[in-house]
Amino acid sequence: NKQYTANILQSAKNVFKKENAVVLKKIIDDKKISGLRKKILGMKKSEEYHPLKFKWTKINNTTDKRFESVIFESQLNLLCEFITGKKLKFEAIILENGDFFLLHDDLKPLTGPIAIIDISEKWDNKWGGFLGIEQEPFFLEQNSITIINAKKRRWFIKRINHHAKSKKILIILK
């Protein structure tokens, strides 16, 4: 988004260093986010399920070779890498009714920052799907990027309940 000037991005980087978290809203203009959402939903997906750990649909460079070019084209990876100072790997997850990602004994703590970009079309937080870092909830907003220094912490996604009327689409960089 053109509203994010070099000064604003530098300020976001400084806030992240000081507070260990930063949120940027309206990061992509509406036409581009709609196109990005459409491209991601049209890619090859991998449904993953373990009854005690997770249920979701995932897209990454392994499931669809086009995924990397879509992320690079949007320059979201560069934005996250500038703010965190780290090169991050990325994937997309699509969540719908009944999907979840739980804290569990086998889950290794993150080794650094996590950035979550919510490109969902319409989402009501009453449907679930919020991100948690250990016991701390983060309610993600559409067309926003939430960057958290989650080093040595574990993350989860609250179960999507039966009221969900659409899909939650997240791009995750970690």
Side-chain angles (χ1 to χ4, degrees):
N1 191 328
K2 293 178 182 174
Q3 74 181 9
Y4 287 109
T5 63
N7 289 341
I8 291 173
L9 292 176
Q10 185 61 50
S11 294
K13 184 176 185 171
N14 294 340
V15 167
F16 176 73
K17 282 182 180 179
K18 183 178 178 191
E19 303 294 332
N20 286 318
V22 68
V23 176
L24 298 174
K25 298 180 180 182
K26 301 245 183 236
I27 57 166
I28 306 171
D29 68 45
D30 290 338
K31 286 182 183 178
K32 287 184 180 176
I33 200 167
S34 177
L36 179 60
R37 187 182 311 114
K38 194 178 272 188
K39 285 179 185 177
I40 286 177
L41 287 172
M43 292 183 171
K44 294 177 189 167
K45 300 163 192 66
S46 168
E47 291 187 19
E48 299 181 359
Y49 175 66
H50 185 289
L52 301 175
K53 298 179 183 177
F54 52 81
K55 179 181 179 284
W56 58 18
T57 301
K58 190 182 276 189
I59 302 169
N60 57 33
N61 209 33
T62 306
T63 59
D64 195 314
K65 298 290 183 199
R66 298 172 296 166
F67 181 66
E68 187 173 278
S69 65
V70 167
I71 298 301
F72 286 156
E73 180 183 309
S74 69
Q75 298 185 339
L76 293 170
N77 60 316
L78 297 177
L79 175 67
C80 294
E81 289 170 10
F82 174 77
I83 291 172
T84 64
K86 308 262 186 208
K87 186 157 178 69
L88 304 171
K89 294 182 181 177
F90 43 88
E91 61 192 7
I93 59 172
I94 300 168
L95 302 161
E96 49 193 322
N97 185 350
D99 289 355
F100 60 92
F101 182 67
L102 301 176
L103 290 176
H104 53 84
D105 292 340
D106 298 335
L107 183 62
K108 293 184 170 109
L110 294 166
T111 58
I114 183 170
I116 304 97
I117 304 159
D118 188 336
I119 62 166
S120 307
E121 189 166 7
K122 295 178 183 173
W123 193 261
D124 186 331
N125 284 326
K126 294 177 195 167
W127 301 341
F130 70 79
L131 171 78
I133 304 288
E134 298 291 340
Q135 304 303 319
E136 191 174 352
F138 291 89
F139 293 92
L140 307 170
E141 295 182 38
Q142 290 105 340
N143 197 7
S144 71
I145 181 167
T146 303
I147 305 173
I148 304 159
N149 187 357
K151 189 173 185 174
K152 298 183 180 177
R153 297 169 77 194
R154 299 180 303 164
W155 66 292
F156 68 93
I157 296 175
K158 173 87 167 119
R159 183 183 180 279
I160 308 297
N161 65 39
H162 65 283
H163 297 290
K165 293 180 175 55
S166 62
K167 297 178 180 183
K168 187 164 192 80
I169 306 165
L170 304 174
I171 299 170
I172 299 176
L173 296 96
K174 55 184 178 175

